[in-house]
Amino acid sequence: MHDDSGIQIQEILSRCLVDPPFLETLATDPDRAVAPYLLSAQLLSELRKLDLRRIKTFSGFIGKVQHNHLWDTLPATLTLLKRYGIELDLFGLFRPIQFSTRAQSRADQLGRFVAFVLDYSRAKPQFAALACVVRYEYLASGLKSRAGDSNVTPERLTVTPADLSWPAFQRHIPVLSGVHNLGWFGCDPGQLVNCILDGTFTEYVGGNSRLFLLKAAADGGGIRCFETDELTALMLSLIDGRRTVRAVITAARARITAAAKPRTFRDFFEQAVNAGLISISLGASK
């Protein structure tokens, strides 16, 4: 009879590198894990002597190398994984997801990895900084892509809010400047990422979730991050380049329960213009 035991062992070891659940079963219940292979008692004894921790580490290393492209978009996330000493474990656990589908785009791969890291970190409070950082870098990468791919907006004649009376100002049209996104974070995520990348990060000190606005530079370069409020978020969501200032305010007032004075809205438009978030185009003159 042809002895194919060597081929069987190679199949088992190869499977360990791409199938973490199988590797875990092999470590805890080797008889059940290799039952389909019909190994001899001697080969089963040899398998029990294997250092499965080294195989698990090697599997994680392969996964890490296959995701080197993530350094382009998630540098602080990968730096933090290394600092925590969990990068190989995490990439090893990610292997089943990595192989679960074929022909993925880079965007799909990135999204699935980010979702996995979020689930992993949320289940472990000691890695709260990881959840914050990976969410921020994912949002930032999307903004940079959108800013780089967006068409140049045609120049429009603009006005300065302070130069107009309130009734006249309401007839003009607010226009978003560049691209932005919003997210809730327990600390300033931009500052946290900078600390990780420049090596000054010591520990994560989070608090109650606050709303932050991320804005991409027009050339697809850096990201500005600053704390904002829910009214600002609402107003920005209503600006579409077609509504007048008055129409934006009317839509906003329909969505908020507390009465807001007109001056509150004028303050928003003036501050948003000064922050480079919007511009005000010339609208109807009547």
Side-chain angles (χ1 to χ4, degrees):
M1 178 185 293
H2 177 65
D3 183 5
D4 60 354
S5 59
I7 296 176
Q8 289 177 302
I9 295 299
Q10 290 178 15
E11 290 179 356
I12 291 170
L13 293 178
S14 297
R15 184 175 175 185
C16 286
L17 296 177
V18 298
D19 189 348
F22 172 75
L23 180 57
E24 291 297 328
T25 303
L26 186 62
T28 57
D29 190 354
D31 291 344
R32 182 165 67 90
V34 300
Y37 293 92
L38 303 175
L39 299 181
S40 66
Q42 181 180 353
L43 284 176
L44 185 57
S45 176
E46 292 298 322
L47 272 177
R48 290 196 179 102
K49 296 176 184 178
L50 290 176
D51 187 347
L52 297 180
R53 290 174 302 176
R54 293 182 63 183
I55 296 176
K56 184 177 181 179
T57 298
F58 186 56
S59 176
F61 174 75
I62 293 174
K64 172 189 171 183
V65 171
Q66 291 173 334
H67 287 83
N68 275 344
H69 60 276
L70 292 176
W71 281 101
D72 294 336
T73 48
L74 306 176
T77 298
L78 298 189
T79 299
L80 202 54
L81 288 176
K82 188 172 183 178
R83 178 187 175 95
Y84 284 145
I86 59 174
E87 56 176 347
L88 296 185
D89 285 343
L90 185 139
F91 278 107
L93 292 171
F94 184 64
R95 298 283 275 170
I97 299 174
Q98 178 187 351
F99 290 108
S100 62
T101 60
R102 297 174 296 174
Q104 298 172 317
S105 67
R106 280 291 174 88
D108 291 336
Q109 294 174 17
L110 176 64
R112 295 204 311 167
F113 181 76
V114 168
F116 176 79
V117 173
L118 281 173
D119 287 342
Y120 179 93
S121 55
R122 284 169 177 164
K124 298 174 174 59
Q126 67 271 34
F127 300 139
L130 185 58
C132 178
V133 169
V134 74
R135 284 182 57 237
Y136 172 81
E137 290 195 310
Y138 185 57
L139 288 175
S141 69
L143 285 180
K144 290 177 183 178
S145 176
R146 286 164 52 198
D149 293 341
S150 61
N151 295 323
V152 177
T153 303
E155 291 188 8
R156 306 188 189 202
L157 293 175
T158 59
V159 297
T160 302
D163 295 339
L164 298 171
S165 68
W166 179 238
F169 176 63
Q170 291 183 77
R171 295 194 289 270
H172 294 291
I173 299 171
V175 180
L176 293 174
S177 299
V179 295
H180 70 273
N181 213 329
L182 294 146
W184 292 89
F185 297 91
C187 72
D188 184 328
Q191 187 177 55
L192 175 59
V193 164
N194 289 337
C195 287
I196 291 169
L197 294 178
D198 66 20
T200 59
F201 172 71
T202 53
E203 63 178 335
Y204 175 73
V205 181
N208 294 330
S209 290
R210 292 125 61 195
L211 188 60
F212 286 85
L213 187 145
L214 286 65
K215 185 179 186 301
D219 59 359
I223 299 291
R224 292 172 56 203
C225 176
F226 47 89
E227 190 171 352
T228 187
D229 55 59
E230 293 185 60
L231 177 60
T232 297
L234 172 61
M235 297 292 285
L236 290 174
S237 72
L238 295 171
I239 294 174
D240 59 7
R242 298 185 299 274
R243 288 188 175 106
T244 62
V245 168
R246 180 182 289 114
V248 170
I249 294 173
T250 299
R253 289 173 66 90
R255 289 166 171 77
I256 56 180
T257 55
K261 297 179 179 179
R263 183 68 205 181
T264 301
F265 295 105
R266 178 147 194 164
D267 286 343
F268 158 76
F269 286 108
E270 291 181 354
Q271 293 170 15
V273 168
N274 291 336
L277 295 175
I278 65 171
S279 60
I280 305 296
S281 286
L282 290 173
S285 59
K286 296 182 180 180

